[in-house]
Amino acid sequence: MNAPSIPITPFGPSPDNAWTQRGDCLSLVRSPRPPRPLRLPADGQALEFDLARSALIVIDMQNDFCHASGWFGQKGVDVSPMRAPIPAIAALLPAWRAAGGRVVWLNWGVRADRLNLSPTILFKGKRSADGVGYAERSPDDRGPSVVAGEWGARVVDELPVAQGDTTVYKHRLSGFWDNELDSLLRQQGITTLFYAGVNTDRCVFSTLQDAGFLGYDNILLADACGSPSPDYVTQAIHFLVRQLHGFVASARDLTGALAAIAPPSPGRSSTPVL
């Protein structure tokens, strides 16, 4: 007669960062994560990265920035530069997810009471006494601007958020300031970050720069980012990324590279929860 099997209970945020308990033994030994190397052209050279330890960070592709009736659009800002990355991101996401890549939506999502926003942030968001600031309502009322859970803070309809994706809200230009992003990435063993979204010279660059300071590998996807700032500003950001903080590549090349690889092996989650 076969002895009854002893169930194994995991304790951890991912299969490769978990303790396991079997009977009276608690094992602190983590299972190794097999690397999944992939080559991508960047800055005139071949760049190899580990897909198993990478995440795609999509920044601020939200109604209040990218929809004509959003907060920026009602301020009179031309939203076409913020909408320009949508096709590149929409093409990349299915290939990235199919290959087992992690997707993190890094979005503005302020408190309705604005208690953790400094005077500088509040002034820059409003600019004048009769302006519309953070958590305030525009004339065509779609709810308070960039408040988590409101229409303006939602990702645009053209970029559906999939089950298994992760959403992190921020209240600074940098997604690494005063929130949980760094902890979530480190618990998943992420070392390489790809960047898409808006604005190239603001939240994208601020987040990328802080990531570099924290030790992450940075790859900016130039054709998947946008900004209403003059072109020379974007060129300056690309220069600074190449010079100091990481690499500049294209979403089109990344999408093509992903199409040539096999999906993750059975038994390993293709979309781990962050």
Side-chain angles (χ1 to χ4, degrees):
M1 183 175 179
N2 295 330
S5 61
I6 301 175
I8 299 175
T9 304
F11 296 91
S14 68
D16 16 61
N17 184 18
W19 298 351
T20 53
Q21 185 168 35
R22 183 172 185 177
D24 62 356
C25 178
L26 178 64
S27 174
L28 312 187
V29 178
R30 273 77 160 173
S31 300
R33 178 182 304 181
R36 301 185 64 215
L38 184 63
R39 286 195 173 191
L40 172 70
D43 296 334
Q45 64 182 341
L47 191 67
E48 188 174 60
F49 68 95
D50 187 355
L51 182 59
R53 294 188 176 276
S54 299
L56 173 62
I57 312 295
V58 187
I59 299 174
D60 294 351
M61 296 301 296
Q62 299 166 268
N63 287 324
D64 267 339
F65 305 122
C66 304
H67 193 288
S69 296
W71 185 35
F72 272 27
Q74 292 195 53
K75 285 176 179 285
V77 176
D78 178 9
V79 299
S80 58
M82 277 75 79
R83 296 187 61 80
I86 290 176
I89 298 172
L92 173 60
L93 284 171
W96 182 260
R97 291 181 180 123
R102 297 160 174 82
V103 178
V104 179
W105 300 90
L106 182 59
N107 296 333
W108 273 95
V110 305
R111 293 170 55 101
D113 59 15
R114 302 176 295 181
L115 289 178
N116 57 354
L117 299 184
S118 70
T120 298
I121 293 173
L122 291 171
F123 173 77
K124 294 297 184 180
K126 190 176 178 71
R127 301 280 178 167
S128 64
D130 58 353
V132 177
Y134 290 101
E136 295 180 347
R137 296 173 183 269
S138 299
D140 177 8
D141 189 357
R142 301 296 183 101
S145 53
V146 289
V147 170
E150 298 288 345
W151 175 85
R154 295 177 199 160
V155 174
V156 293
D157 291 342
E158 295 88 343
L159 299 174
V161 178
Q163 184 177 7
D165 292 354
T166 300
T167 296
V168 175
Y169 287 108
K170 60 184 176 66
H171 48 273
R172 297 290 188 271
L173 295 177
S174 170
F176 284 101
W177 191 260
D178 195 28
N179 73 359
E180 73 273 26
L181 178 60
D182 185 47
S183 178
L184 292 175
L185 295 173
R186 292 189 189 278
Q187 291 300 323
Q188 293 292 320
I190 299 299
T191 59
T192 300
L193 303 179
F194 289 82
Y195 299 87
V198 297
N199 287 303
T200 309
D201 51 320
R202 304 174 200 182
C203 292
V204 174
F205 182 59
S206 295
T207 300
L208 183 153
Q209 183 173 241
D210 273 357
F213 296 156
L214 290 166
Y216 291 94
D217 308 327
N218 289 322
I219 304 173
L220 177 68
L221 300 174
D223 57 339
C225 296
S227 173
S229 300
D231 287 344
Y232 69 80
V233 177
T234 294
Q235 295 305 312
I237 296 302
H238 292 174
F239 173 84
L240 290 171
V241 171
R242 293 186 178 106
Q243 190 78 359
L244 301 172
H245 303 298
F247 306 90
V248 178
S250 78
R252 181 180 61 185
D253 286 340
L254 179 56
T255 302
L258 291 165
I261 67 171
S265 56
R268 295 189 68 84
S269 173
S270 62
T271 52
V273 176
L274 282 178

